[in-house]
Amino acid sequence: KLWLANSCVWYSQIITQKLAMQQYAKYTASFNYGNHDVSGDKNMNNGLTNCWLSSSLAISPEEQITFLNKLVANKLPVSLEAHERTKNIMFIDNLDNGWKLYGKTGNGSQLDANGNKVQDRQVGWFVGFIRKDNRFITFVQLIADKDKQDSYASLRAKAVLKDRLTQLISRI
């Protein structure tokens, strides 16, 4: 659980290597995850360990919501146990009024028109859902910095979204 909460890249890379490229690509396609491109950095042959790190695998906020909706509805092509284990490792915090927060941050560099990483401009995600009993609300917060910032975009995205969720659940 800690590897996901702490975005431990090296551990994620061990998991993808254990899956191997064929299985990893199969999951990405069967989940209809983003653009399905697991090739990695151009001419680097590192897709298995790097495609999701400001590289070839891209997903829009709308596609991310679609994916999360399938996860919370147990509609991905995996077992019910896999759905539940994934949701459980995404747990972050208990919120007010019986709601629970589940999510994942992601941080990286923006890409220029040629696909090169712009080192001083971050992109940060916070994606997930809140749950109360059998009710789920999915969310995506994306921050794309216009200039250099001193804090991680992903942590700023999480803080912004958590504030918005706190306001939302106080009204429902």
Side-chain angles (χ1 to χ4, degrees), residues 30-140:
S30 67
F31 291 172
N32 195 27
Y33 192 83
N35 65 358
H36 311 190
D37 184 351
V38 295
S39 63
D41 298 324
K42 190 174 181 180
N43 301 319
M44 296 294 289
N45 193 29
N46 65 0
L48 192 56
T49 59
N50 285 54
C51 69
W52 70 93
L53 299 171
S54 301
S55 187
S56 61
L57 186 59
I59 190 165
S60 70
E62 295 81 12
E63 291 168 324
Q64 191 71 267
I65 285 289
T66 299
F67 174 79
L68 289 165
N69 284 337
K70 288 179 186 177
L71 172 66
V72 299
N74 302 322
K75 300 287 186 191
L76 293 170
V78 295
S79 69
L80 180 58
E81 179 186 7
H83 281 94
E84 291 306 314
R85 290 176 115 190
T86 301
K87 289 179 232 177
N88 287 339
I89 64 173
M90 292 176 68
F91 176 75
I92 294 175
D93 199 5
N94 289 306
L95 302 176
D96 293 339
N97 302 326
W99 287 92
K100 295 181 181 296
L101 174 64
Y102 300 78
K104 173 71 181 89
T105 57
N107 204 82
S109 298
Q110 292 185 40
L111 303 177
D112 66 17
N114 297 321
N116 299 310
K117 295 174 185 172
V118 181
Q119 298 298 335
D120 63 348
R121 287 201 348 250
Q122 298 178 63
V123 61
W125 293 81
F126 182 52
V127 304
F129 56 93
I130 56 173
R131 176 184 199 171
K132 182 176 181 180
D133 302 321
N134 290 324
R135 185 172 181 196
F136 293 88
I137 300 172
T138 54
F139 60 80
V140 171

Side-chain angles (χ1 to χ4, degrees), residues 23-24 47 61 97 120 128 155:
Q23 188 66 25
Y24 184 65
N97 302 326
D120 63 348
L155 297 180

Side-chain angles (χ1 to χ4, degrees), residues 110 120-122 144-149 156:
Q110 292 185 40
D120 63 348
R121 287 201 348 250
Q122 298 178 63
D145 292 333
K146 293 184 194 273
D147 48 37
K148 185 176 179 172
Q149 300 291 318
R156 287 182 275 124

